[in-house]
Every structure is written in structure tokens, then in C-alpha cells.
Amino acid sequence: MENRTATLTYVLEGLMRRYRERVPDVEKVTNGMNAAGIIADANEIENDHIAFRTMGVPQLGIKSFEKIFIHLGYQKRDYFYFEGKKLDAYWFSPPRPEYPRIFVSELRVNDLPENIQDIIRSYTDEVKADPVDSLNLNDGAAIDAFLHQPLWRIPTWQDYSTLLKASEYAAWVIYNRYYLNHYTISVHNLKAGYNTIQEFNAFLEKTGVKLNDAGGKIKISPDGGLLQSSTVAEIIDATFEGGEVHPISGSYVEFAERKVLPEYQHLEPASITREHRREGFETGNADKIFESTFTSQTVKRNS
């Protein structure tokens, strides 16, 4: 098990290193927290969960992707269905509390119009068999390389634009492949004055961070136990087939506050650990968080 722990640590560090490089908001938020005295070091931030987007085709999707993290000790938990966005999703709990939860969604490709399915499959069909089956899942470097390598050719701008009109999620995945979509700061474990989502959002907006306001800036689960917010995704210059460069949506940073469960309200703050807080996810919240990469939000990025 120690070897698997080392492998998992290696994989997660690789994901976060590249994510920080690709998403300037990570550094902006971290530096802002540091300057405000919320943290002294980035390692003090608890990562609530990381999320991936995949395609629901036979040789890929959740059933392929999950093999990696289940091998590394994660356990598959609740199923979620997003009717409007045509997505299935599951979350996975980590082998130890210091590791982030994982949320994996996949596009229900068969639910899309035939011409859109044809475009998607023209790319995903380049992957002939489940690539995870040929991976050494005890080799952190091999997994790390796989999670950051292109699985199909660079899309054309025309294909990307067509997908964008039908499913912004599809367009994002065809361009980005398996790249980590976002990571999430656990707000409830920050110092007093910043440890509620309301207070933390106020701090973010003072530092100039633009928040996703789909469904309101704070997404609240029906039980009131899970509150989430997120930045609007960065706009990046993306290179398409033939060298064409166009601005598209990149990734974002999410923030989560997990309330203490009613049966543990009597505990002193110093005694509260992960198992005392609201667990899992909630469809209504996640549905609006997805829109952090959608044009309806990114057009507001510089407004």
C-alpha cells in the first residue's frame, strides 16, 4: 500500500504542477491569500476535490479513467445525471483524508445529434482500445505522462466551433483531452474571517477575481450543507490544426465550504475533522459550476 500511496502522490503532484502552469488564477488566488495573511504557505490549503471531464465512448469515459484511481485506493461513490448538459458523473473518495476527492463526468455522446456524434468520434476513434489497459498502474511516471498526453489529433477550428454550439462541454474535452479541469480550495478550514464561502468570495472579489454567477455566485445544496463558488475560466490562446490561433476557455478554480453535520454541531472547532462535515456532492451545485468554462460566463471575464 505504501507503494501505491507514493504513486498516487506522484500522480497528484504532476496534475497540480501542470494545472498551476495552465491556470494563472491558481497563483493569483494563492498569492492573494498569502498577502492577506490567510496562509503562510500554499501547502496549508486543503484540496477538497479535483475534477476531470471525459467522453462517453466505448474505449474511454469514466469506466476507463476510474481504473487508474481505483487501483490507487479510491472508492467509487454516488452517481449523478445532468439532463440538460447530457452528462453522467461519479465521485470517488480518497484512500486517506489528506488526498482530494475526485469528481469525474462524461458526455453522453449518443444523446447528441448525429452530426455532432460524427465529429466527436472522428477524434475519439483514433483511440482504438482502452489506453489504461496498457498502462502500468504502479508506475507514477507512466500515469502522469498518460494524463497529459494528447489522445487524438489537434482539432480544427471549424470542428471546435461546431461542437461549441451543440455542447460547450464537448468542445472543451475535444481540445483539452484528460487535462485536469479544476481543483477546489476547502474554505471551511481557513482562518476565521475567511472560512465561510460568503467571506471568502468577498476577499476574492477584492483581489479582482471574477466569479461564476450562473445560479448565483454561491451554489447551495438543498440541505444547506455544501456551498460552492468558482472563478470564471481563464481565456487562453489555443492553437488549432494548421496553426490557427483562437481564444477559448481554459480552466478555473473552485471553492467549497462543507458545513459540520447536525449530529456533530456540539464539537469544538479544533476537534472537527473531515468525517464530521457534509460529504459528497450535489447535482444542482455542480450543474452551475460546469458553466465556469461556458461562453455565457467567460464573456464576462474582462467586463
Side-chain angles (χ1 to χ4, degrees):
M1 193 61 202
E2 279 310 309
N3 285 344
R4 290 193 185 187
T5 300
T7 302
L8 176 57
T9 299
Y10 187 99
V11 170
L12 291 173
E13 285 176 353
L15 284 164
M16 288 305 301
R17 183 177 71 254
R18 291 174 177 84
Y19 173 72
R20 279 192 296 270
E21 290 166 0
R22 294 175 65 244
V23 187
D25 273 351
V26 178
E27 213 67 25
K28 184 175 185 179
V29 171
T30 305
N31 289 344
M33 292 171 73
N34 206 294
I38 303 171
I39 56 169
D41 185 271
N43 292 327
E44 294 174 28
I45 297 172
E46 181 190 321
N47 187 348
D48 182 89
H49 69 272
I50 56 176
F52 299 88
R53 296 180 176 185
T54 68
M55 283 293 186
V57 294
Q59 70 280 28
L60 295 167
I62 295 171
K63 69 184 179 309
S64 164
F65 189 86
E66 69 185 9
K67 292 173 188 174
I68 296 170
F69 288 98
I70 287 175
H71 180 81
L72 297 177
Y74 275 78
Q75 292 188 349
K76 194 172 189 176
R77 299 297 187 183
D78 304 317
Y79 164 75
F80 301 94
Y81 172 48
F82 300 87
E83 184 177 7
K85 294 180 176 62
K86 299 180 171 60
L87 305 174
D88 293 319
Y90 284 90
W91 78 276
F92 299 78
S93 58
R96 295 184 181 181
E98 61 266 31
Y99 291 116
R101 302 163 186 85
I102 289 177
F103 190 88
V104 188
S105 54
E106 74 174 22
L107 183 65
R108 296 166 63 103
V109 176
N110 292 338
D111 290 357
L112 295 167
E114 200 164 327
N115 67 311
I116 300 300
Q117 291 186 42
D118 289 344
I119 292 173
I120 290 170
R121 291 200 173 92
S122 77
Y123 292 93
T124 60
D125 281 357
E126 293 180 19
V127 184
K128 302 300 182 189
D130 185 342
V132 176
D133 289 343
S134 59
L135 270 184
N136 176 358
L137 297 179
N138 295 313
D139 184 343
I143 297 170
D144 181 56
F146 167 70
L147 290 173
H148 298 95
Q149 73 183 22
L151 296 176
W152 47 76
R153 71 189 184 280
I154 296 171
T156 64
W157 172 243
Q158 182 178 351
D159 283 348
Y160 179 89
S161 302
T162 303
L163 289 176
L164 197 68
K165 293 186 186 82
S167 166
E168 296 205 37
Y169 182 105
W172 195 96
V173 177
I174 285 296
Y175 191 86
N176 289 283
R177 297 83 151 188
Y178 269 166
Y179 292 138
L180 175 63
N181 176 255
H182 70 265
Y183 105 116
T184 308
I185 292 174
S186 295
V187 169
H188 47 265
N189 283 336
L190 298 174
K191 67 191 281 188
Y194 300 92
N195 60 355
T196 69
I197 212 84
Q198 290 91 342
E199 291 169 320
F200 197 73
N201 278 4
F203 153 73
L204 289 169
E205 294 191 311
K206 272 187 204 158
T207 64
V209 172
K210 183 77 78 172
L211 294 174
N212 164 357
D213 60 6
K217 289 177 182 175
I218 300 173
K219 298 36 159 152
I220 306 173
S221 62
D223 63 6
L226 177 61
L227 294 85
Q228 292 164 273
S229 64
S230 60
T231 67
V232 170
E234 194 84 20
I235 300 299
I236 59 170
D237 284 330
T239 304
F240 290 84
E241 187 182 291
E244 277 190 75
V245 178
H246 296 275
I248 69 166
S249 173
S251 299
Y252 56 95
V253 184
E254 189 182 324
F255 315 98
E257 179 190 354
R258 294 180 180 273
K259 298 284 191 185
V260 176
L261 294 166
E263 60 267 35
Y264 300 118
Q265 296 282 352
H266 63 281
L267 293 176
E268 292 295 320
S271 304
I272 293 167
T273 59
R274 194 157 167 164
E275 64 264 27
H276 299 129
R277 294 187 181 276
R278 206 275 200 183
E279 188 50 281
F281 292 84
E282 201 280 317
T283 309
N285 287 22
D287 186 66
K288 296 305 180 187
I289 294 286
F290 278 125
E291 297 183 25
S292 298
T293 63
F294 285 20
T295 308
S296 57
Q297 290 298 311
T298 57
V299 294
K300 305 171 188 173
R301 174 92 194 185
N302 298 314
S303 62

